[in-house]
Amino acid sequence: MRLKVNGQEVEVQEGTLLLEITDPPHLCYHPHTETRGLCRLCLVEVDGRLLPACATQAQEGMEVRTDTEDLRILRRTLLEWLALTTDLSQAPSLLELLKVHQGQPQRWGSVSLSRREREPIRDNPFFLRDYAKCVNCRRCVDACGDGIMGVYALTLEGRGLMAHPTTPLDLR
């Protein structure tokens, strides 16, 4: 099937995700897990609508744009909020994306709800759960569930900025 990506005609197989042919930034997508479209960094413009590239299959005749001014502003804002609420010191690729998109998280002031203040949980000699550094991509939750392992050792708790992976019933 044929479609246009940034004005260039592209031919792809049926079932191909837009992410596979456009390569926008993304956090939550992994080919072996079920999370799709959660982080919103991979949004692309398709026929005037914003759609997550990781959850949208290419269709005949689509016109896809990956680098519009609106998309740049959206990505910058998403990255700024992530940097404002999360310790990204161990995420050099996200810090680089923030720099590329000219993000300035400080322009939003301070946020009262933040994962940055959470203390690491050291309840296991093999794992350190540091939610201050968690970007909420949810890949660990999916990997423990249906995605890969099938053991359901992690779940998501909380809402909005305070959402985070944890053990079921927050058991240690």
Side-chain angles (χ1 to χ4, degrees):
M1 85 179 73
R2 293 174 191 224
L3 61 147
K4 285 188 178 178
V5 177
N6 297 323
Q8 301 285 333
E9 194 165 291
V10 176
E11 193 169 322
V12 299
Q13 296 292 320
E14 187 174 332
T16 301
L17 291 174
L18 292 180
L19 182 81
E20 297 172 287
I21 56 176
T22 59
D23 196 33
H26 60 279
L27 285 176
C28 64
Y29 175 79
H30 188 280
H32 299 296
T33 64
E34 294 298 317
T35 297
R36 301 280 194 270
L38 182 66
C39 74
R40 298 317 227 195
L41 275 177
C42 73
L43 288 179
V44 294
E45 187 179 305
V46 178
D47 302 324
R49 296 183 342 214
L50 296 181
L51 297 173
C54 67
T56 306
Q57 292 184 359
Q59 294 178 4
E60 183 71 39
M62 267 185 172
E63 291 197 28
V64 181
R65 295 172 57 187
T66 64
D67 194 31
T68 66
E69 182 63 24
D70 287 343
L71 287 171
R72 284 191 294 275
I73 291 170
L74 176 71
R75 288 180 183 137
R76 182 181 69 222
T77 302
L78 289 169
L79 289 163
E80 286 172 342
W81 273 89
L82 187 61
L84 198 60
T85 60
T86 309
D87 175 3
L88 298 180
S89 63
Q90 301 298 309
S93 59
L94 288 176
L95 291 172
E96 181 61 28
L97 269 178
L98 187 65
K99 186 177 175 181
V100 165
H101 285 83
Q102 301 173 345
Q104 298 175 13
Q106 65 278 8
R107 74 184 178 111
W108 297 98
S110 63
V111 176
S112 59
L113 292 177
S114 176
R115 291 185 298 270
R116 285 178 171 269
E117 288 80 36
R118 294 195 58 145
E119 291 294 321
I121 299 171
R122 302 173 192 278
D123 61 348
N124 184 305
F126 301 104
F127 301 103
L128 169 68
R129 292 187 283 156
D130 191 349
Y131 296 130
K133 292 178 175 64
C134 175
V135 296
N136 273 355
C137 67
R138 196 186 159 113
R139 289 181 358 181
C140 62
V141 175
D142 283 352
C144 286
D146 290 332
I148 299 172
M149 299 185 68
V151 296
Y152 304 95
L154 294 174
T155 187
L156 201 63
E157 178 181 280
R159 297 178 63 106
L161 293 175
M162 295 310 289
H164 64 278
T166 187
T167 57
L169 305 175
D170 206 20
L171 298 175
R172 295 175 185 233

